[in-house]
Amino acid sequence: MNESRMGGGGGGDRYFTEKIMAIQGPTLDLPPSEPQNKDIKFANNCRLYLGNIGGDITENDIIELFKPYGETQELFINKEKMFGFIRMDYKHNADKAKAKLDGHVLKGRSLKIRFAPINAAIKVKNLTSCVTNELLELAFGVFGDIERAIVIVDERGNSKCEGIVEFARKPAAAQALRRCAEGCFFLTQSLRPVIVEPLELTDEIDGLSERTINKKTPEFYKQRQVGPRFATVNSFEFEYGSRWKQLHELFKQKEEALQRELKMEEEKLEAQMEYARYEHETEMLRKELAQREIDRERQKAEWEMKERQAEELKRRDEELMKKHAEEMQLRLAQQEEDLRRRQNDNSMFLVEQQQGRGGSGGYGSPGQAYGNAIIDFEALAAAVGNVTGVDNKGSAMDFDQGGRSGGGGGRRNDSASSGWSRREGGAGRWGPSVDHGSRRGGSGGGGPTDYQPKRRRY
């Protein structure tokens, strides 16, 4: 993992948040990891400490000294304090170089070679019993590349609720320490946050040998004057030796009492945590139900409003259709009234013409004038039919045929709209006293088609 992306700034925090979000799901089936003692090239456990380096020793001297044991990297020498560090390629090569070169004399100086403390390691405490090596590596992998992650167990293989995480780089360990100290980092469902402390792994394999201890100090000479022995009972040595043992026993008792008290406090906190979790979940359910009720009421109000709007729209459409129907009826009634008025006016006009001319030398017979009126009526009926959609052509033709027909013995046709009637047995006779037998400038008799008078409109 690139530690520069995990540093400060919005980009690093966003990247870190994405990594955390990616591992928050269930961890029931984690794949088994490789053995923790896997051989990693240039790992932290391949770094050696070089002590008692003389001022005349150069970097090339160190490289040439370690060259037969494998590749080297990250050589550092502090000539003022006479120490340095070098990283070997593999752990077995580092073990071999340490065993062969520890105490080696280089330019008159006896070298001290130890495994360097791993300053990129942390100790993780307060783990639950369900945390494994794989889960520990998965959780702390968000901070950087990990070389080793183990959960410490007892002789029976039970977890001691502690673990060790070794990062590949020191900035990753520093970030894990900082973030876990500032926040609460949980690895499981339990609300027990991990406690992270820095850890410096020391060399616990070879220990301290006679060839590496400094024998020139006064303390060494004083302590090594007397060898191993048992104190005589009731002697001075026995008394103060017993006091030292009592002091350690007191420390052990206080430590056990503190452990018991801490265990009781942990159980108490667990019970409070479970009760608080139950109360929290109950309160969340109440809020969820209340929110659902609010949403249901809101949806109900929206549905009622939509229903009212639909009803209002339907009512408006019905009113609009009713209004249009009334307007159409009024228009039809007005057109019918205009038509009856025109028919009455035409009838009155024909009557006046016949009365004024007295049946001689006029514009023709009443049948001809009435025929002209019928032509106007046909045009008006056609116009009304175009407006109302009603075919008035048939009624107009019937009316026209009734007015233009000649005599028909023994038959009487009445026109309700005009008031005219054809008398029985008289050809070309209209009205009770008007004689239609004469034409202008011609002999009497003849139908309305003998002469078409000049068309007049009223």
Side-chain angles (χ1 to χ4, degrees), residues 191-203:
L191 299 182
R192 294 177 59 175
V194 295
I195 307 299
V196 179
E197 298 176 354
L199 176 66
E200 290 187 0
L201 298 178
T202 57
D203 188 3

Side-chain angles (χ1 to χ4, degrees), residues 128-176:
T128 63
S129 59
C130 297
V131 178
T132 60
N133 298 339
E134 290 79 6
L135 179 56
L136 191 64
E137 182 177 0
L138 174 67
F140 282 87
V142 299
F143 302 106
D145 294 335
I146 294 177
E147 292 184 354
R148 187 169 72 109
I150 60 171
V151 176
I152 301 174
V153 296
D154 57 14
E155 64 278 1
R156 297 182 179 179
N158 298 322
S159 173
K160 299 182 70 173
C161 299
E162 294 182 356
I164 296 175
V165 178
E166 298 178 13
F167 291 96
R169 296 290 182 268
K170 187 176 180 179
Q175 183 178 199

